[in-house]
Amino acid sequence: MFRTSLRNLTAHKLRLALTCLTIVFGVAFVSGVLIFGDSASKAMTDAAKHDYDNVSVSVRTTDAARDDGQLPPLTDGFLAEVRGLPGGAAARGDVSGFTAVVDKKNDLVGPAYTAAGANFSPGPDGTDPEYAFTAGRGPASAGEVAIDAATAEKAGFRVGDRVKVVGDGPVMEKTLSGVFTTDSAKLRTGGTLTLFDTATAQGLFTRPGSFDEITAKAAPGTSDAALLAGIKPLAPGGTKTVTGATLAADDQRAIKSATSSMSTGLLVFAVIALFVGAFVIANTFTMLVAQRTRETALLRAIGATRRQVVRSVRFEALLLGLAGSAAGIAAGAGLALGLKALLAAGDNGLPDGPLVVTAGTVVWSLAVGVGVTVVAAWLPARRAAKVAPVAALRADLPQSAASLVRRNVAGAVVTAAGVALMVLVGQSGTPMETKLLGIVFGAVVALAGIVVLTPLIAGPVIRGLGAVFGKVFGVEGRLAKENALRNPRRTASTAAALMIGLVLVTAMSVFGSSLKGLLDSVALKGITADYTVSSVSHRPLDPGIAATVAGLPDVAASSPSRPATLTVAGKDRDAKALDGEQGFKVLHADFLAGGPEGLRNGLVVSERAAKDNGWKAGDRVPVEFADGKTADLVVGGVYEDSDLLGDYLVSTQTLAPHVQRSGDEMVLVAAVPGKEKQLRSELKAALGDNPALQIQTKDDLRKEFGGAIDQMLTILYGLLGMAIAIAVVGIVNTLAMSVFERTRELGMLRAVGLDRRRMRRMIRLESVAISVFGAGLGIVLGLAAGAFGIMSARGEAAGLEVVVPWDRVGIFLGLAVLVGILAAWWPARRAAKLDVLDALHAE
Amino acid sequence: MRPEFPAAAPRDPGFAAVATELSKVYGSGDTRVNALDRVSVGFTRGEFTAIMGPSGSGKSTLMHCMAGLDTISSGSVRLGGVELGDLNDNQLTMLRRDKVGFVFQAFNLLPTLNALENITLPMDIAGRKPSRAWLDRVVGIVGLADRLDHRPAQLSGGQQQRVAVARALAARPEIIFADEPTGNLDSRSGAEVLGFLRDSVREEGQTIVMVTHDPGAASYADRVLFLADGRIVDEMYEPTADRVLERMKRFDAARTT
Ligand SMILES: Nc1ncnc2c1ncn2[C@@H]1O[C@H](COP(=O)(O)OP(=O)(O)O)[C@@H](O)[C@H]1O
Ligand SMILES: [Mg+2]
């Protein structure tokens, strides 16, 4: 019997190749993700291996202390103490933050988010072991900087040139004292690094005499642990003291967990692709088994048992799965290589390293590929066993007319159960996380039910489409419709594969457009300022900027938006500080009680916060600030919940005494009426034409946010592309099968006068009917799922409304037509090329 | 827009189709077969011709070549005044669509269409509206009036072949080619189908060429052509089953000796 499996496999080479291709695609995705993840993880951990070779002990400000706007308590004095410890060979203090180099065209060199600045920290010999200078020397005074070699080359700077450097504040112009290379992690992501002398760096990033981190190297003969024990008692509060080895281990762990969560995220899409692939494989085996009915009957007639028949089909699936998976692993390695090359080209600086193909990757990929194939072929194999031996002797094979009734009932029940679950969970008061999980689970169940129901749905939909085709294209349109309807199960499962991809793509698009709508209707509505000033790196702005802006002649009102943390009734709350006088001239709040004047000396809160704390306007309430001091503030106003404003607002004047280092999220500016245009250039000039700062109108903000959502969607579309590609292979497969099965009919049509062009069109229309049905159903379900998801999330974000992205829906439908035409290309060609007489005499 | 065929020559007004020195060679070298060897024959309008001959004598080949289904190796075939050798594939397709009807041994109906739709298929392809009266007449001739909305799977073999005959007749082609149309039918259904073919010739002046093995079937024709080894070796007017059988026996004798 195994010999028949092999024979069967080689008998239909093309079909085999197509089916194999679906396995290859799915497995390539899985193995590609695993290989890329392992390779990236190895490259990054390797590169980070020596980061702490010169660090025995590190003292850093804790994250909590940094977030509270407190200055690092690591002072020169502390550094001196560490230096004075017995057993410490060398100690250094580091400060770092955001600075970027401006090129000769006044643009930032490289992306802002990978640009950094740090202090040059020379030892007694005048060199800093972290940096190797290829030209010049380290910066020795406030007027000098050094930049990394790659940046210097990109921007065309030489030692001695005047270089513009920007940070969170005004533009600085310095003399380039040197160009260096380094192994430092600060440069690993392919960004730019600027070195300042320590005092200047402290001025920029902390405060004179204060560091972010102090590291010490143990002298020979002293263990790291001993040094740690020596330093720890000296370390000030708000800091954490650990050994370099601990930091290295933490980093390695962080890298591994980051790459593995990236892999997990991508694997979700690989699983979707495989799931879709399972449909195509199941479809192929169903077709193969049906086609071989007579052959199978003959085998049964001459004594093969049912078991043997079933086993031979499953063995065929096993072989196919193995071949496809092996090819898929190879393709996956290629995919990973391509991805690395792509990232390298995109300046995203993944460190170089070999491709890592672990045994786990190979085993998993094989298991998944073979598993999916064998499971997909499970039912078709059982169907093969049902073939009666007598079928071999009968000329006219009865069409498999198994009723769809049971299937439809089952489908309806499952769909209803899924929808019921979604509705129940959606309306329940469970927290968002569990709610979301429940809804997704319900949606998956409902989708499974719909998949079962597709043959039922296919009838009316394709008849409707066919009516249009018939009107527009005449006979071939009508014939195409009839052909698509001939085997509803096959049409349905071919279309279902495409449907799954489209459901996801459409639902995501609904989320995207609804979020954009939310931004428009809620967030942007609350901004009454004409301009916002923020950092392109989205880092906090120097408070000096708010002060500069406030002093401009054409500014009617301005206020920084400054993040803060307040402790209310023992709970840390995110708050914002606005200018006490002008905050509500650039932002809008709908006050339910009190008013904007309440901000000056008091606290203004959202309705939600008032309810949470049981406050009313006019109450005097105790609030603890980040520095630990408590003040009694009057609740000066309560406003309608707003995502833009958050829940707690205080004035910058109230906050100021409690923070040492403040940074603004943005500065909002309203122009004197009629001076809106001038204000922009005025702002630009006042900010020193700093390319690290952006001056945006509401429209610019809308575009930026919308662009980010679109980019996200594009990535998701790309990830779902594999599932869709597999579905397209499925359509090609089904059509090729149809053409093959109907050879004689096609011959007859050619004989009675259908020319090749119209023959091709007939096949194409059949294909389009399938693809549009699948995509259309997917779009409808995706819209429903997306709308349902948004409505369930409405409680989380006031003003969230369902926005249907009609333009995208139109594009998807257009693409579905295109996909149909493309999928039919080869089968239609084959049909048109048939020799009339050969076709007429085909079995 | 329908491209014009090369202008019809008025040379053979009495013939629906004419073959002159028609040869057809399959394969080359060792496997070379002379399926047709310089055959010259004309099919008069309004005549029912049967083609007989031993298996492999070239009957089907002759029919295919004359119907524009197969290319010819040498000689000429004119159909409705058009020289087939001058036509490309598209023009041949359109010629078949507009001037030729087919009845196949294996019925060859589209299972997805009902009887009426199968009958009007060639006209639908051509984008022509069948005349209602003519259609009723054809349907009446083949006796399918109460079966028009049935699909082929719901019809008996005889009924299916009657649909196929109606399909060939409905478009009023210049000529109908039928390749063993009764080969898959029992004798009664076969006789019915042959009766319809003959009636359409007698009453509507249709031209029909039919390949058959069955002397009884041949007796419905006006004329019988006998083919052997790719050549026309005999012809017989007003055939009867017995005479045809006699003639056929001579082929068998020739073969056994
Ligand atoms: N496509 C083909 N290729 C090669 N030889 C063919 C082909 N079709 C027919 N022949 C040969 O041509 C001869 C005539 O065949 P055919 O016209 O089918 O005979 P008939 O219909 O009289 O039985 C036979 O010898 C047959 O083998
Ligand atoms: Mg023959």
Side-chain angles (χ1 to χ4, degrees), chain A residues 755-789:
Chain A
D755 60 29
R756 294 182 196 278
R757 199 170 46 85
R758 292 171 69 183
M759 174 76 85
R760 276 197 297 271
R761 188 188 291 159
M762 180 179 88
I763 307 288
R764 270 202 296 266
L765 286 174
E766 179 178 353
S767 177
V768 169
I770 296 175
S771 67
V772 168
F773 165 57
L777 188 58
I779 289 171
V780 169
L781 295 177
L783 288 177
F788 190 88

Side-chain angles (χ1 to χ4, degrees), chain A residues 841, chain B residues 55-56 58-61 64 105 179-180 211 213:
Chain A
H841 296 121
Chain B
S55 183
K59 302 184 295 291
S60 296
T61 305
H64 295 151
Q105 178 176 0
D179 195 351
E180 302 192 28
V211 167
H213 269 121

Side-chain angles (χ1 to χ4, degrees), chain A residues 310-518:
Chain A
V310 172
R311 281 237 212 116
S312 106
V313 175
R314 283 184 191 153
F315 186 64
E316 206 177 319
L318 183 77
L319 289 180
L320 198 65
L322 272 175
S325 305
I329 293 170
L335 204 66
L337 265 181
L339 214 55
K340 278 183 66 176
L342 203 72
L343 285 183
D347 225 12
N348 273 316
L350 187 65
D352 242 0
L355 216 52
V356 180
V357 184
T358 63
T361 299
V362 173
V363 169
W364 267 111
S365 304
L366 275 179
V368 163
V370 172
V372 165
T373 315
V374 171
V375 167
W378 204 259
L379 285 179
R382 283 201 13 200
R383 224 165 285 143
K386 293 212 182 102
V387 173
V390 67
L393 312 172
R394 283 217 306 253
D396 51 337
L397 291 172
Q399 289 268 350
S400 98
S403 151
L404 283 171
V405 172
R406 259 173 53 191
R407 181 176 173 154
N408 291 342
V409 170
V413 168
V414 174
T415 309
V419 171
L421 185 65
M422 284 168 76
V423 172
L424 282 178
V425 174
Q427 287 177 344
S428 71
T430 46
M432 199 58 202
E433 302 265 290
T434 12
K435 200 162 156 180
L436 208 67
L437 229 85
I439 288 176
V440 168
F441 182 71
V444 169
V445 171
L447 189 62
I450 302 263
V451 165
V452 176
L453 281 178
T454 34
L456 179 73
I457 307 168
V461 174
I462 290 187
R463 252 186 286 280
L465 273 176
V468 177
F469 285 179
K471 283 254 157 49
V472 180
F473 298 103
V475 197
E476 53 268 49
R478 286 213 315 274
L479 292 176
K481 169 194 78 176
E482 295 295 345
N483 287 337
L485 281 173
R486 199 182 291 200
N487 192 333
R489 280 169 208 264
R490 189 198 290 179
T491 297
S493 55
T494 308
L498 189 59
M499 175 189 88
I500 292 166
L502 263 296
V503 169
L504 295 169
V505 162
T506 311
M508 309 266 185
S509 304
V510 173
F511 292 152
S513 60
S514 301
L515 284 178
K516 280 193 214 173
L518 176 68

